[in-house]
Amino acid sequence: MLAGAPDPDPRSAFVARWLLGCAVAAAVGAGLGLVEAARVASGRVIEATLVADAAAHAWVARTDDAAGESALAHLERGHPGVAGVFVVAEGGVDEFGIARGTALTRGKVATADARALLDHAKRVTAEAARSLASGTPMDAETLQARLPGDRLAVAVPLRDAKDRNALVGVAGALMGPTPPSGALPAWWIPVVVGVLAALAAMGRNRWRRALDGAVAVGAGAIWWAWQPALPAAPSSGVAVLGGAMLVPHTAPPAAEPLTVAHVAVAALATALLAGWVATPLARVFDGARKDLVPYLYIGPAMAATTLLIFVPFAVGVGLSFVDRSGNFVGADHYAEVLRSITDANSSTHFGRTLAMTVLWTVVNVTLHVTLGLGLALVLNRPHLRGRALYRLLLIVPWAVPSYITALTWKWLFNTQAGPLNAMLVALGLDRVDWLGTSPWTNFAANLATNVWLGFPFMMVISLGALQSIPAELYEAADMDGGSGWQKFRHITLPLLRPALFPAVILGTIWTFNAFNVIWLVSGGGPDHQTDILITEAYYTFTVLRRTGLAAAYSVLIFLLLLGYTLVTNRLTRATQAVGA
Amino acid sequence: MRAWWPHLLLVPVTALTLYPVLYVVKLAFSGTAGVSSSPSPLPDRFEWSAFGKVVGTADAQGQWLFGHQLWNSLAVSAVTTLAGIALACTAAYAFARFEFPGRRAGLLGFLATQMFPGILTLIPLYVLIQKLGLLDSLWGLVLVYSTTTIPFCTWTLKGYFDTLPKEIEESAIIDGATRLQIFLRIILPLSAPAIAVTALFSFMSAWNEFVLAYTFLSKEAAYTLPVMIRGYVGEKDVQWSLFAASSLLVSVPVMALFYAAEKHLVGGLTAGGVKG
């Protein structure tokens, strides 16, 4: 942090590095473990589905029951991870005219499981009937059933060869408990990489830690390369049978395999974190050992904000890398958002919305400042009668809750009953469909609302700053024969700037995120053309239900705001330095 | 040498500013029968039926909805304010008076939270609140509101504590006071006005919050007042006079608070900005 700060006490430094090391090991271990578990689970589902498809194929193609039986036995032998292959046939009527009902007819399945498999077959058949009736493919999820003892059954429904809307049963595969995967047990990777990362975090200086971090990355990459490959997902659930006899269903989702690149990025990030966080953390421990009191004072507030702001923020950032079924998708969501700049058919419109947001912010803030400053200059005239009353009335818009303002203006712009159109009609003009199909009238409505809402703040700030300018300066200028404009240019403006600059920055951030106005007045319409970034992100989350995409979108908004603040902070400091 | 032309400018601008507000007042008093669409903002009649209808709303089970929602808003705002201020006061005091490692990082971290887009934290919070089973409960809102106001309140209060002269505390230490005594007996009473203003701000932002409440609450009896008002302006069924009447009921108290605290509010807002 500070260049000249003393090195922390070695004991504090050790404790800090040790704690960080444990945290890094736990995070790396848990993260890699979760991803690996997801990969293995998805591989299992895919293998079971492939075997179920093959079993259905064998059963449909059989010449007699004995041939079918031997084909199923052959399948079982070929897949050691599969505990059993089964076919559940709908009974029809036997030669005595008695309904046979549903029966588990083939396969090496223990009788204890027969009940569960029959129940599952019933559910799948019911779902399949529904999907045949509606003409939509079945969800791959509905084909799966979890059985006690960490076992998994996947069943695919079969159609009748003659009446293709009738169902004759299901064929499926029963997977045994998850086996330890391949050459090395799955938990080795997380543990080894975690321990290496922990060691890396405990290095003596930051360069050493970064170097050790890189070694941990390399180790992770090598372990990873040794992992056995898992079966690839079929592009469609009915690929094996060509779709003729199976009820169409979606392919089971494949977990994106964790690639070396992912491990590298994650471990490098943790190594860097460990490298640059250890010393400041050690200073905090040092401080706490010398004097615990300040930490007791900020502790509760820190704990609350960490739990409910920082952690959700981090989780939100994490969610942007994960799809709806919890699979790691890397930067796909970011790519999708950025692709939407050029692709008109995508579900978001980042480029267009960003342009709209910038236009919206610039026009609004310009009008706020012009109006606010102009009114403040008039109000600040000496001997103005009724100044307090004017001020009181002009800040009314600031006092009104913003959602009420927005809804009120929505009413003012109402096409049929709104007073604005009534005014136009009284003047002999046509009604305007303000919130209708034109993006520009919608924008105008939003703009009018937000200008009304925002100018009092700038006015009050300007007025306060104007009143703090000593009158002697103007008197001196008068003596030197300065004109009104010269006084404004050389006295008023320079002295206003320190107060106005932060207000403009604050106002820009508020306008940039003016959710209530856009959401409640135009609703982003027509067709999202007046959406700003924050409303489109909210729409993506609440209406489209694309959590990951919405999270990626929000991260981009945050980065834009952060960049803006950093740049303006520099500028403010520069102007303050000049002014001082 | 009183100039008259400023009034030529100020009167129309003030009239334009007040127009929407006056129109809401007119709508609110126009009764439930139907609203006139004349552009004049002056009330053409004084009927209280819209207010009566808003206040008297009951749901299918005969629960008094307005009462429930008023209580919800009051309770959420009050608890939010108390919890937020209690935590912010101690943190602000530490930031203002102690020099300790991590102070700068903490202050900057609090500042950074103001830039987090609400939607990004909304997503995990929604899942968290759902997991805790607090989706239609007031505690979910209290939890979220109070933590989101802490950083702002901390910055504002720190700005005030910075202006208190250190000599008072130094002489108290000589007299044998502990630091906790100084904080409770000297600093807190001295900054009562600043704390009151910050509390008012916190109360108002909870009272006026719309998006989170709209996202978290789905049962009418659990609504806060802003969500209730939004309900009168639905997609299909728009009841403008009820909207106007409920808006007046909800915003008049909060506007009174605003005017009471306004002078100090401006100072607090800009003090944080200039020093940040």
Side-chain angles (χ1 to χ4, degrees):
Chain A
M1 301 285 265
L2 298 175
D7 279 339
D9 181 271
R11 275 181 303 170
S12 298
F14 179 77
V15 171
R17 290 204 303 263
W18 189 79
L19 278 178
L20 262 179
C22 290
V24 167
V28 168
L32 287 183
L34 282 177
V35 173
E36 173 63 11
R39 192 182 81 104
V40 168
S42 125
R44 250 176 111 219
V45 172
I46 290 167
E47 189 182 6
T49 312
L50 287 174
V51 171
D53 258 7
H57 182 90
W59 188 252
V60 170
R62 76 195 194 280
T63 46
D64 53 52
D65 280 6
E69 191 98 43
S70 90
L72 295 187
H74 184 73
L75 257 180
E76 258 173 24
R77 278 195 302 277
H79 290 270
V82 172
V85 181
F86 59 92
V87 171
V88 176
E90 293 281 322
V93 179
D94 67 11
E95 57 264 41
F96 305 107
I98 298 166
R100 266 194 256 155
T102 308
L104 186 70
T105 54
R106 297 285 178 268
K108 239 173 43 183
V109 170
T111 44
D113 296 325
R115 191 75 257 156
L117 288 178
L118 281 175
D119 283 348
H120 180 48
K122 245 179 243 165
R123 273 195 303 274
V124 170
T125 320
E127 276 297 318
R130 206 168 301 151
S131 116
L132 279 180
S134 66
T136 51
M138 293 175 70
D139 195 31
E141 286 270 313
T142 57
L143 303 180
Q144 301 159 23
R146 317 261 151 211
L147 266 58
D150 186 28
R151 288 169 314 153
L152 166 86
V154 172
V156 293
L158 297 168
R159 293 200 263 193
D160 192 282
K162 290 170 209 116
D163 176 9
R164 295 187 11 90
N165 279 327
L167 293 158
V168 293
V170 302
L174 178 66
M175 303 293 288
T178 313
S181 73
L184 288 169
W187 53 266
W188 273 51
I189 308 161
V191 169
V192 168
V193 177
V195 167
L196 280 171
L199 289 176
M202 287 163 75
R204 273 197 163 278
N205 67 56
R206 63 173 65 154
W207 298 111
R208 182 62 198 276
R209 286 193 287 269
L211 188 73
D212 289 353
V215 174
V217 172
I222 291 169
W223 288 123
W224 197 258
W226 278 5
Q227 278 304 292
L230 292 174
S235 59
S236 151
V238 292
V240 180
L241 211 57
M245 301 306 298
L246 289 190
V247 178
H249 52 266
T250 58
E256 174 103 347
L258 189 73
T259 63
V260 174
H262 296 142
V263 182
V265 170
L268 197 66
T270 46
L272 287 181
L273 190 75
W276 271 267
V277 166
T279 313
L281 191 66
R283 292 225 172 85
V284 170
F285 287 143
D286 246 11
R289 261 220 319 249
K290 284 195 202 95
D291 186 2
L292 191 61
V293 176
Y295 298 97
L296 291 180
Y297 274 91
I298 46 167
M302 261 306 168
T305 42
T306 305
L307 216 63
L308 286 163
I309 301 180
F310 290 107
V311 169
F313 178 78
V315 172
V317 174
L319 279 178
S320 70
F321 296 103
V322 168
D323 76 359
R324 244 180 304 190
S325 19
N327 296 318
F328 182 72
V329 295
D332 280 8
H333 289 137
Y334 292 91
E336 191 179 340
V337 172
L338 295 178
R339 235 190 351 261
S340 72
I341 295 175
T342 50
D343 180 8
N345 293 324
S346 58
S347 43
T348 58
H349 318 86
F350 188 72
R352 193 180 78 187
T353 312
L354 178 61
M356 177 47 85
T357 313
V358 171
L359 177 74
W360 161 256
T361 311
V362 169
V363 173
N364 262 307
V365 174
T366 313
L367 288 175
H368 287 162
V369 173
T370 332
L371 252 175
L373 182 57
L375 285 171
L377 285 171
V378 176
L379 282 178
N380 196 43
R381 288 183 60 81
H383 317 300
L384 179 75
R385 204 189 283 262
R387 178 189 298 144
L389 182 67
Y390 279 126
R391 188 180 177 286
L392 195 75
L393 293 178
L394 283 172
I395 59 171
V396 163
W398 191 6
V400 181
S402 67
Y403 68 98
I404 290 182
T405 302
L407 291 170
T408 305
W409 281 80
K410 192 183 166 81
W411 159 255
L412 295 181
F413 281 108
N414 189 297
T415 311
Q416 291 310 316
L420 249 133
N421 271 351
M423 243 182 257
L424 289 180
V425 170
L427 292 172
L429 299 167
D430 283 339
R431 288 170 188 278
V432 176
D433 192 6
W434 291 102
L435 301 173
T437 51
S438 159
W440 294 113
T441 54
N442 272 290
F443 182 73
N446 288 340
L447 187 66
T449 311
N450 202 53
V451 167
W452 187 81
L453 190 88
F455 82 85
F457 173 70
M458 291 295 175
M459 186 187 87
V460 167
I461 299 281
S462 308
L463 199 58
L466 284 175
Q467 281 165 349
S468 68
I469 298 177
E472 293 81 36
L473 287 177
Y474 293 106
E475 284 160 16
D478 281 336
M479 288 218 262
D480 293 343
S483 72
W485 167 251
Q486 279 175 326
K487 280 189 280 181
F488 179 72
R489 174 77 190 72
H490 295 288
I491 301 174
T492 314
L493 263 193
L495 288 174
L496 267 185
R497 210 179 297 164
L500 219 47
F501 219 100
V504 168
I505 294 172
L506 208 59
T508 308
I509 294 179
W510 284 346
T511 314
F512 197 91
N513 287 334
F515 178 87
N516 283 352
V517 172
I518 306 278
W519 188 258
L520 295 174
V521 177
S522 79
D527 189 29
H528 300 289
Q529 290 184 66
T530 55
D531 256 333
I532 56 172
L533 294 172
I534 195 93
T535 54
E536 187 163 48
Y538 186 77
Y539 174 84
T540 314
F541 172 56
T542 54
V543 182
L544 297 182
R545 294 263 158 213
R546 305 256 340 245
T547 311
L549 193 66
Y553 208 105
S554 317
V555 170
L556 290 174
I557 298 177
F558 170 67
L559 291 179
L560 281 171
L561 275 181
L562 188 69
Y564 170 80
T565 320
L566 290 179
V567 168
T568 47
N569 224 358
R570 283 268 158 86
L571 286 179
T572 340
R573 269 190 212 148
T575 49
Q576 276 172 353
V578 170
Chain B
M1 44 163 262
R2 287 172 194 268
W4 53 270
W5 64 264
H7 298 283
L8 211 60
L9 190 87
L10 286 171
V11 170
V13 171
T14 313
L16 267 179
T17 308
L18 294 180
Y19 183 82
V21 180
L22 290 176
Y23 215 96
V24 169
V25 175
K26 175 192 170 182
L27 276 178
F29 284 104
S30 64
T32 48
V35 292
S36 86
S37 64
S38 91
S40 156
L42 301 173
D44 40 13
R45 55 203 145 147
F46 275 100
E47 286 184 31
W48 292 89
S49 55
F51 291 97
K53 190 139 188 238
V54 166
V55 173
T57 325
D59 67 0
Q61 284 88 46
Q63 284 193 85
W64 183 37
L65 276 184
F66 184 80
H68 271 276
Q69 291 160 350
L70 179 67
W71 164 249
N72 291 347
S73 267
L74 272 176
V76 166
S77 309
V79 178
T80 295
T81 307
L82 285 179
I85 286 293
L87 294 184
C89 271
T90 50
Y93 180 65
F95 280 132
R97 279 298 188 265
F98 296 113
E99 195 51 58
F100 55 94
R103 176 176 171 276
R104 215 175 93 90
L107 271 175
L108 287 180
F110 271 19
L111 196 63
T113 62
Q114 302 299 298
M115 265 176 288
F116 292 177
I119 171 87
L120 190 58
T121 43
L122 174 76
I123 299 169
L125 279 177
Y126 185 86
V127 177
L128 177 77
I129 301 282
Q130 196 179 28
K131 286 264 154 68
L132 292 175
L134 293 177
L135 262 192
D136 260 315
S137 125
L138 300 179
W139 288 110
L141 281 187
V142 165
L143 218 57
V144 176
Y145 286 176
S146 50
T147 36
T148 41
T149 60
I150 287 176
F152 182 86
C153 294
T154 305
W155 266 92
T156 320
L157 287 174
K158 177 198 169 276
Y160 187 81
F161 290 158
D162 279 341
T163 65
L164 296 176
K166 278 190 178 155
E167 288 76 22
I168 309 175
E169 286 157 271
E170 280 158 10
S171 57
I173 289 178
I174 295 172
D175 291 344
T178 66
R179 273 192 292 198
L180 188 63
Q181 281 173 330
I182 293 174
F183 176 61
L184 292 177
R185 300 257 176 85
I186 299 175
I187 297 291
L188 283 188
L190 270 181
S191 24
I195 293 173
V197 170
T198 318
L200 271 183
F201 173 83
S202 184
F203 186 89
M204 276 162 48
S205 50
W207 181 266
N208 292 339
E209 204 285 330
F210 167 69
V211 187
L212 288 169
Y214 183 68
T215 316
F216 287 164
L217 307 174
S218 59
K219 284 195 201 111
E220 276 200 318
Y223 280 0
T224 53
L225 293 171
V227 190
M228 177 272 281
I229 292 183
R230 175 76 174 87
Y232 288 126
V233 203
E235 288 301 320
K236 285 164 258 166
D237 177 33
V238 185
Q239 297 157 298
W240 289 107
S241 60
L242 297 187
F243 156 71
S246 53
S247 295
L248 277 192
L249 285 177
V250 170
S251 44
V252 164
V254 86
M255 282 173 77
L257 286 181
F258 175 83
Y259 275 105
E262 174 257 325
K263 282 255 159 72
H264 310 278
L265 204 61
V266 178
L269 277 173
T270 42
V274 173
K275 280 169 198 149

